[in-house]
């Protein structure tokens, strides 16, 4: 019995010796899994889509060729435009209204007279064609883009691919002044860095020369996926992204979708949720003890008085958004039929979104920052492509799914991020708020001047900030 008891005791101790480490290993494994899952980066699913007409073909591979493209015009196109400009009707403005009621019709007549008699669309087509244009078919629709490579790369400098995405009511043309600064920095006094870019500027589907989606539901996530496919088709595995307006949301989605492909993300507009108790407390305390809630003096200067700058001003400037987010096709009918109506609708944004004080000016301050040829070229891109309706549908597709445009806040951005905060932007997002979504901010710059259309208005300032950001990322 003694021997039997010892054998049983030994067997129990052996079993115990196996079970305890096994249990410890199991608990430890669960703990490691829990810790890793806590730090696992959430991403937006890449998935797939079809935006062509009708059902997606069951057989046959999509044509992945990159096709050269040139913008062209004709006598018929110009004659039709001139006829419509000549037949426009105007309503006299209220005396002393300036731009408080929208685009001042007295100044509008001057713009239209210039458009009809002096603006040379053929010449501007040549300007547009100075950079190489291409088209390729992705998810059933033709995607237009320009792709500019540096003509000369100094020894020791790396060429970085940079995708730049526009917004509404802009176009790829917004980047024409910043492109040479990025592709040939030494020729423009920006030779202190060690980076040179090759720049890719696509037209968002439904904008300009990119085909409009034929199916419902084309939002910023679909655009992000298409632009990743575009960059992959061009042979890029890793690249930088830059955007403002819708371009900011699309490039942010790209960083959330395939962070392994994004070397860095640079933005000049940030979408951040403003609701919640914590945010409300931050806003209330920020006016009195900003340091307590992480705000700087410059943040306070740009954000307060809060009600005026973040409620009244935004309400005044966002009437268009509600229309475009609900009934875009109704509003678009008149804009697509009247070049004068289209110009008033688009150019009014280039006034008050460039500088809020331009409301006080009879000419909206438009020619103090831009040339009429530049402004009308952007309008013409919408006119000749008849793309105003499809462009404003983008609001409905996004806002129907995400009414306050803050869904991206639920998925963090972990790629290196640079933010250029321009003082006349529609809304200001302090760094402490931006960090709630953008977890790896490398540079945050309070820009000295400029508004919503940064690349168009202040190309050198924006180029310098992009280069500074990329330089820091490359030396991490």
């Amino acid at each position: 019995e003694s021997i039997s008891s010892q054998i049983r005791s030994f067997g129990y101790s052996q079993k115990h010796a196996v079970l305890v480490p096994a249990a410890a290993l199991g608990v430890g494994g669960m703990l490691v899994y829990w810790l890793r899952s806590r730090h696992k980066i959430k991403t937006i699913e890449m998935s797939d889509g079809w935006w062509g007409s009708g059902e997606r073909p069951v057989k046959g591979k999509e044509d992945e060729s990159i096709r050269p493209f040139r913008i062209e015009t004709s006598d018929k196109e110009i004659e039709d435009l001139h006829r419509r400009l000549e037949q426009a009707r105007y309503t006299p403005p209220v005396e002393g209204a300036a731009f408080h009621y929208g685009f001042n019709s007295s100044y509008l007549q001057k713009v239209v007279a210039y458009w009809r008699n002096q603006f040379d669309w053929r010449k501007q087509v040549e300007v547009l064609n100075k950079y190489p244009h291409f088209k390729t078919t992705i998810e059933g629709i033709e995607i237009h883009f320009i792709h500019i490579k540096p003509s000369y790369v100094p020894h020791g400098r790396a060429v970085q691919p940079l995708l730049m995405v526009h917004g509404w009511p802009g176009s790829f043309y917004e980047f024409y002044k910043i492109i040479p600064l990025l592709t040939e920095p030494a020729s423009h006094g920006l030779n202190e860095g060690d980076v040179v870019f090759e720049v890719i500027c696509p037209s968002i589907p439904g904008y300009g020369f990119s085909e409009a989606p034929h199916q419902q539901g084309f939002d910023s996530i679909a655009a992000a996926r298409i632009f990743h496919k575009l960059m992959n088709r061009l042979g890029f595995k890793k690249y930088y992204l830059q955007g403002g307006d819708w371009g900011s949301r699309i490039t942010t989605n790209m960083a959330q979708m395939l962070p392994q492909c994004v070397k860095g993300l640079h933005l000049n507009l940030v979408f951040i949720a403003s609701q919640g108790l914590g945010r409300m407390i931050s806003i209330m305390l920020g006016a009195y003890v900003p340091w307590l809630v992480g705000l700087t003096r410059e943040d306070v200067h740009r954000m307060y008085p809060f009600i005026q700058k973040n409620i009244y001003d935004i309400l005044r400037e966002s009437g268009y958004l509600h229309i475009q987010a609900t009934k875009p096709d109704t509003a678009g009918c008149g804009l697509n039929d009247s070049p004068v109506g289209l110009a008033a609708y688009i150019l009014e944004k280039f006034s008050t979104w460039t500088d809020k004080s331009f409301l006080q000016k009879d000419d909206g301050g438009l020619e103090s920052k831009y040339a009429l040829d530049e402004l009308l070229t952007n309008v013409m891109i919408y006119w000749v492509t008849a793309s105003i309706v499809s462009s404003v549908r983008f609001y409905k597709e996004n806002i129907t799914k995400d009414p306050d445009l803050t869904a991206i806040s639920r998925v963090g951005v972990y790629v290196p991020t640079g933010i250029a905060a321009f003082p006349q932007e529609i809304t200001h997002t302090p760094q402490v708020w931006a960090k709630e979504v953008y977890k790896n901010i490398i540079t945050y710059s309070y820009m000295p001047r400029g508004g919503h259309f940064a690349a168009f208005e202040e190309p050198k300032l924006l180029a310098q900030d992009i280069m500074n950001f990329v330089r820091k990322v490359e030396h991490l």
Side-chain angles (χ1 to χ4, degrees):
E1 286 183 4
S2 175
I3 292 171
S4 177
S5 174
Q6 288 179 16
I7 290 171
R8 283 197 301 272
S9 175
F10 177 75
Y12 176 80
S13 63
Q14 286 290 91
K15 185 178 180 181
H16 187 69
V18 172
L19 286 175
V20 170
L25 189 63
V27 172
M30 290 174 67
L31 182 62
V32 168
Y33 176 80
W34 179 73
L35 287 170
R36 289 188 66 181
S37 65
R38 281 184 67 208
H39 295 286
K40 187 178 179 181
I41 296 175
K42 291 182 180 179
T43 58
I44 294 173
E45 186 181 353
M46 180 79 172
S47 68
D48 199 9
W50 170 257
W51 309 104
S53 182
E55 295 290 326
R56 186 172 199 159
V58 178
K59 295 181 180 179
K61 191 178 180 183
E62 191 165 71
D63 179 8
E64 296 186 356
S65 64
I66 307 292
R67 304 176 290 277
F69 170 73
R70 280 185 65 83
I71 299 170
E72 295 179 349
T73 188
S74 64
D75 291 340
K76 184 178 178 181
E77 184 175 73
I78 295 171
E79 287 166 5
D80 176 68
L81 170 70
H82 287 175
R83 178 181 58 80
R84 291 170 185 264
L85 294 178
E86 290 164 358
Q87 293 178 353
R89 299 189 304 175
Y90 303 90
T91 300
V94 177
E95 292 181 11
F99 263 55
H100 285 281
Y101 285 69
F103 205 105
N104 185 290
S105 59
S106 294
Y107 177 62
L108 180 60
Q109 291 182 66
K110 295 178 182 177
V111 172
V112 172
Y114 179 87
W115 196 359
R116 170 60 183 86
N117 301 312
Q118 293 173 263
F119 178 77
D120 187 342
W121 175 232
R122 291 189 185 279
K123 178 183 175 183
Q124 294 308 115
V125 165
E126 290 179 14
V127 171
L128 291 174
N129 282 326
K130 75 175 181 178
Y131 294 132
H133 292 249
F134 303 91
K135 283 190 176 184
T136 190
T137 305
I138 304 177
E139 297 189 4
I141 53 176
E142 284 197 329
I143 305 301
H144 161 260
F145 64 98
I146 55 175
H147 185 183
I148 307 92
K149 299 178 181 180
S151 57
Y152 168 73
V153 181
H155 179 71
R157 293 200 183 182
V159 178
Q160 303 293 346
L162 173 65
L163 179 81
M164 304 188 79
V165 185
H166 66 88
W168 185 90
S171 64
F172 66 93
Y173 177 62
E174 281 182 74
F175 301 115
Y176 268 49
K177 288 187 281 188
I178 198 173
I179 286 170
L181 307 183
L182 297 170
T183 57
E184 300 175 7
S187 302
H188 298 87
L190 298 172
N191 58 350
E192 70 277 12
D194 52 1
V195 290
V196 177
F197 297 93
E198 61 176 296
V199 179
I200 302 91
C201 300
S203 294
I204 299 170
Y207 287 69
F209 298 98
S210 276
E211 186 177 354
H214 297 268
Q215 310 295 329
Q216 296 180 44
F218 187 89
D219 59 6
S220 62
I221 292 174
R225 183 177 64 243
I226 280 179
F227 290 163
H228 269 310
K229 290 182 177 182
L230 171 64
M231 294 301 278
N232 182 259
R233 193 169 291 183
L234 291 172
F236 300 115
K237 302 302 179 188
K238 293 180 75 69
Y239 33 87
Y240 284 93
L241 306 173
Q242 202 286 325
D245 196 86
W246 280 125
S248 168
R249 186 175 172 92
I250 292 169
T251 54
T252 293
N253 288 160
M254 291 178 74
Q256 294 167 319
M257 188 177 287
L258 294 177
Q260 68 273 22
C261 294
V262 180
K263 297 184 76 174
L265 169 67
H266 186 279
L267 307 172
N268 55 278
L269 175 64
V270 173
F271 292 94
I272 294 291
S274 59
Q275 62 268 40
L277 180 61
R279 183 57 48 79
M280 189 180 298
I281 292 171
S282 175
I283 290 167
M284 291 171 65
L285 294 177
Y288 306 101
V289 282
W291 50 270
L292 192 62
V293 290
L295 300 181
T296 67
R297 286 185 178 181
E298 186 60 27
D299 290 330
V300 172
H301 173 70
R302 296 187 183 194
M303 291 170 58
Y304 296 90
F306 192 84
I307 298 295
Q308 176 64 49
K309 293 187 176 181
N310 296 274
I311 297 179
Y312 292 157
D313 286 358
I314 290 176
L315 280 174
R316 184 191 66 224
E317 295 300 328
S318 61
Y320 79 97
L321 189 148
H322 186 78
I323 296 171
Q324 294 175 190
T326 53
K327 304 290 180 69
D329 286 33
T330 302
C333 287
L335 302 176
N336 197 43
D337 190 60
S338 167
V340 175
L342 181 67
Y345 196 70
I346 288 177
L347 296 186
E348 182 246 302
K349 305 308 178 193
F350 282 86
S351 168
T352 48
W353 291 4
T354 295
D355 191 318
K356 300 174 187 72
S357 70
F358 286 174
L359 275 172
Q360 319 293 339
K361 299 190 174 188
D362 291 338
D363 63 355
L366 281 169
E367 293 178 72
S368 62
K369 290 295 182 86
Y370 311 103
L372 280 181
D373 279 351
E374 295 171 347
L375 294 168
L376 290 171
T377 297
N378 183 64
V379 173
M380 285 294 290
I381 289 170
Y382 281 87
W383 177 254
V384 300
T385 58
S387 60
I388 188 62
V389 177
S390 54
S391 75
V392 299
R393 283 178 187 154
F394 200 56
Y395 284 78
K396 182 171 178 62
E397 303 294 13
N398 282 284
I399 295 173
T400 297
K401 299 175 185 176
D402 182 15
D404 58 359
L405 295 176
T406 57
I408 60 169
S409 302
R410 300 180 200 125
V411 181
V413 176
Y414 294 86
V415 305
T417 303
I419 297 172
F422 285 84
Q424 290 294 331
E425 184 55 90
I426 300 167
T427 183
H428 174 70
T429 302
Q431 183 173 356
V432 68
W433 293 3
K435 283 165 66 176
E436 294 172 11
V437 176
Y438 301 91
K439 311 294 186 181
N440 188 13
I441 297 176
I442 304 299
T443 62
Y444 182 98
S445 309
Y446 295 101
M447 307 305 282
R449 62 186 179 276
H452 187 72
F453 303 98
F456 205 41
E457 180 195 354
E458 294 289 349
K460 193 164 188 176
L461 281 180
L462 184 61
Q464 288 172 327
D465 201 71
I466 293 169
M467 296 184 79
N468 180 51
F469 163 67
V470 171
R471 194 176 301 118
K472 288 190 175 182
V473 173
E474 289 297 310
H475 289 88
L476 286 177

